[in-house]
Amino acid sequence: MAFEDEPSGADEGRPQLTDIPGAASAEVDSDTPVDSAAPLELAGSFGEYALSLAKKVRSGESGVLPVLGGLVLLVIVFQVQDSVFLSSGNLVNLLVQGSVFILLGMAEIWVLVLGEIDLSVGYVAGVGATITAIMSTTHGLPWWVAILAGIAATSAIGAVWGALVIVFRLPSFVVTLAGLLGMEGVLLYLVNSNGTGGTIRITDSVLNDLANGNMSTSAGWVMMIVAVAAFGSVTFLRDRHRRVSGLVAPPVTVSVIKVVVLAAAGVALVLVCNTNRGALIPVQGVPYVVPIVLGVLAIWTFMLGRTRFGRYLYAIGNNAEAARRAGISLGWNKLWAFTLTGLTAGIAGVIYASRLGSISNNIDGGTLVLYAVASAVIGGASLFGGRGKMVYALLGGLVIATIYNGMGLLGLAASYQYMVTALVLLAAVTIDSLARRGRTSGD
Amino acid sequence: MSIVAEGRATGEPESAGAPLLTLRGISKHFGAVRALNHVDLDVPAGHITALVGDNGAGKSTLIKAISGIWAPTSGEISWDGTPVEIGTPKVADQLGIATMYQDLALCDNLDIVQNMFLGHEELSHRLLDETRMEIVAKQTLADLSVTTVQSVRQLVGSLSGGQRQSVAVARAVMRDARLVIMDEPTAALGVTQTALVLELIKTLGARGIAVIVISHNLNDVFEVADRIAVLYLGRLVSSGPIAEYDRQRVVELITTGRSADDPPAGTPITDTEA
């Protein structure tokens, strides 16, 4: 314990105590733990921001930086090995492959934040997709009815897992392990009893286009501009609101950099997708699955970060007793989280079936769920609860899709894919654990 | 729930008129075990009452009866002169009784503002109003002269023990607590941290809030308390202004339930303090 944070030590000009009225009357010794100097939130200028960010990374709160670095590394390796990797056609393919991992990863985040787990999302997604396929292909119902039916079913399944966990206080690991087995059975039953030889084809053009269709090139640009503008205005309005209210906001430079980086990523994405990647007939445009994934990401991020419900999930995941004493209903909040896991798995299932153009009885839901958990964990979510963001699933899902896609390009067998994915997963948790060990232990 | 009550943050504790909390003949039996036996206690606003006693003397049982964890077997509790039944923690909360157990019930993964508002978040358009919550949290901490936290957006997990206490206390004050009960607030703290927390307790008293502090540390008790109440085997053997006690007498009371110059046990307290 060092007492390095006396008010007189504000020599770097950061507004550490001066913005708290009455700070001058400090009668007691400062007792801030070592290493917590210059919180990011108090950085007034870009330089200070960069310094405190560096400090934060060193002290174990590296956020998404390691996984971003890992992703860049993987891309470089695969590009060096095979120059096709960064071609337009392959990148779009990678995005579509990754969308299912990303969506399932996001499904998993809802329960991981609580410190729970859902092992059934792979087969739940399969069951949802099968229901959608039966509704659409077998019964000829409109695509949106089919999708709603599939997603309603998976949401209900998620709610059942949640209810079992809450009412009977069962471990979610066991409940959803049973769910994994049970839903595989339900899937086989549904597909086989459809009488189409173990496969149900998706014939509806809208359903097929979800993963295989592309927006027009101009629609891609419009989408990108709207998304960046929305992010930018939310960022700047919030910063302005904080400054007007007398609070410290991130330096303008930092916010500008964030928006510019996002805009650059958006432009790159649209440029890549709008390049003609067809061999005989021109194929170009952003796949519909991109706005679907980004839309789910945006809404889920918003729910987790800006609503009471989201806040309560973090509180319950970290200290359920504290949450209970604060008057938070553990049961209802958990039930909703499990339901949202089911709902998100349902969306993933529809995309999965759309990409394959069919749903069959040999879908490997077991591997899918492991990829889902791996996506969330590689991104930085904790299996012990209280830590995780939706964007983690996006980044982790992209890492897994990159390995899957890159190793496929190199013609390496599935055996290598699994082993490399395993190594990446281990590396991710090891880096995270080592970073955390270097962190201040508080008191 | 409203913002820090400014009206009552005035200096001198009023000398006991009607006490804020009055316990009369409180007993609590667990089967044949009499954990509390006809306890009478007055807790005046603006005063810090130290509740002392050996392990098993009934301190926690008494606290739990006041904070609504369980109802006493018999006896009467009055709040502001009105008889009340504190059947659940929620009732205690609504009356303005905030109890802080040693674990403090904080979430390490949330920041100070988020912890202070946990369960009672301010909303605007159904979304979390972070700006408003941050302003109120800052103001509350400043009012309590809590100056050691650098940013109210620090995660509580990164705070020291004393700072965590401060956050828990600030949460209670922000929610207009009129009686703050603290269970061994300095038990796990070092010297500096203890000083911080004791200062905070004094600030609470100066703001007109009634404080009950359970402590085994007589140094702390004599430094911070205005009044003392000693429990021995479920009975309240002595209580009164701290000026009437010295360390020797308190130790005797705690260990034997008697003291040479003690008024008869169980006498309702008459406050002689100016």
Side-chain angles (χ1 to χ4, degrees), chain B residues 11 14 22 60 102 118 162 183 188 193 214 225 231 239 244 247:
Chain B
E14 70 272 42
T22 315
S60 297
Q102 279 172 40
L118 189 61
D183 187 2
Q193 307 272 308
I214 294 185
L231 282 167
S239 68
E244 296 173 5
R247 204 160 300 225

Side-chain angles (χ1 to χ4, degrees), chain A residues 17 31 308 311-312 386 443, chain B residues 109 121 130 134 147 161 193:
Chain A
L17 286 166
D31 56 355
R308 274 186 175 167
R311 174 73 37 89
Y312 293 168
D443 43 57
Chain B
N109 62 338
E121 288 79 3
E130 297 287 353
E134 186 168 335
T147 54
Q193 307 272 308

Side-chain angles (χ1 to χ4, degrees), chain B residues 3-273:
Chain B
I3 324 305
V4 186
E6 285 160 27
R8 70 170 106 88
T10 45
E12 287 298 300
E14 70 272 42
S15 59
L20 177 65
L21 176 75
T22 315
L23 308 180
R24 287 291 173 268
I26 298 293
S27 297
K28 176 70 185 175
H29 301 171
F30 297 101
V33 182
R34 302 187 161 204
L36 289 175
N37 210 345
H38 288 283
V39 170
D40 296 335
L41 180 65
D42 288 354
V43 181
H47 289 256
I48 295 148
T49 306
L51 188 58
V52 298
D54 213 341
N55 293 334
K59 303 186 299 287
S60 297
T61 314
L62 184 61
I63 292 310
K64 286 178 178 169
I66 301 172
S67 53
I69 305 291
W70 50 46
T73 312
S74 62
E76 188 176 89
I77 301 179
S78 299
W79 180 257
D80 257 345
T82 318
V84 287
E85 297 228 351
I86 309 176
T88 64
K90 192 161 188 171
V91 174
D93 187 62
Q94 283 161 356
L95 289 173
I97 299 172
T99 310
M100 271 162 247
Y101 299 98
Q102 279 172 40
D103 62 7
L104 297 176
L106 297 173
C107 291
D108 287 347
N109 62 338
L110 300 182
D111 66 31
I112 295 175
V113 179
Q114 293 168 345
N115 266 289
M116 282 174 67
F117 278 92
L118 189 61
H120 303 273
E121 288 79 3
E122 301 266 352
L123 301 181
S124 79
H125 309 295
R126 309 198 63 193
L127 298 177
L128 297 172
D129 190 345
E130 297 287 353
T131 309
R132 182 172 158 69
M133 288 193 276
E134 186 168 335
I135 290 170
V136 174
K138 263 182 157 173
Q139 187 58 46
T140 308
L141 287 168
D143 287 348
L144 292 173
S145 309
V146 175
T147 54
T148 59
V149 293
Q150 286 189 320
S151 161
V152 288
R153 288 299 179 186
Q154 260 175 291
L155 296 188
V156 162
S158 73
L159 298 181
S160 65
Q163 291 174 328
R164 293 166 65 86
Q165 284 279 354
S166 307
V167 172
V169 168
R171 173 163 70 185
V173 170
M174 197 180 67
R175 304 212 38 234
D176 282 344
R178 299 180 62 198
L179 168 63
V180 172
I181 302 170
M182 301 173 87
D183 187 2
E184 295 275 6
T186 59
L189 303 182
V191 177
T192 324
Q193 307 272 308
T194 301
L196 174 83
V197 170
L198 294 183
E199 209 55 50
L200 193 62
I201 294 172
K202 289 181 192 166
T203 310
L204 288 179
R207 290 168 61 91
I209 296 171
V211 184
I212 297 177
V213 181
I214 294 185
S215 184
H216 277 120
N217 186 330
L218 291 186
N219 289 332
D220 293 357
V221 167
F222 277 94
E223 166 154 6
V224 81
D226 311 312
R227 306 177 56 79
I228 191 166
V230 187
L231 282 167
Y232 178 76
L233 298 180
R235 287 181 302 122
L236 187 83
V237 291
S238 180
S239 68
I242 194 106
E244 296 173 5
Y245 293 77
D246 58 25
R247 204 160 300 225
Q248 177 64 30
R249 186 177 166 206
V250 173
V251 171
E252 281 176 26
L253 286 166
I254 290 174
T255 50
T256 66
R258 275 191 304 277
S259 163
D261 47 356
D262 203 36
T267 313
I269 311 127
T270 44
D271 204 318
T272 54
E273 194 182 25

Side-chain angles (χ1 to χ4, degrees), chain A residues 255-339:
Chain A
S255 299
V256 169
I257 289 177
K258 277 184 188 167
V259 175
V260 167
V261 167
L262 184 79
V267 169
L269 175 75
V270 176
L271 276 180
V272 165
C273 293
N274 281 356
T275 307
N276 179 16
R277 54 185 179 269
L280 299 171
I281 46 162
V283 177
Q284 60 188 135
V286 178
Y288 287 115
V289 71
V290 170
I292 292 172
V293 169
L294 292 182
V296 173
L297 174 72
I299 298 170
W300 278 184
T301 300
F302 197 71
M303 279 179 70
L304 206 46
R306 300 291 306 278
T307 67
R308 274 186 175 167
F309 168 64
R311 174 73 37 89
Y312 293 168
L313 296 189
Y314 286 109
I316 295 169
N318 181 264
N319 190 339
E321 177 59 17
R324 197 186 59 76
R325 282 201 218 146
I328 295 168
S329 160
L330 302 193
W332 285 113
N333 286 294
K334 282 189 177 184
L335 186 69
W336 277 113
F338 274 95
T339 308

Side-chain angles (χ1 to χ4, degrees), chain A residues 239 242-249, chain B residues 130-132 134-135 138:
Chain A
D239 288 359
R242 285 181 62 86
R243 284 198 194 89
V244 168
S245 309
L247 298 175
V248 184
Chain B
E130 297 287 353
T131 309
R132 182 172 158 69
E134 186 168 335
I135 290 170
K138 263 182 157 173

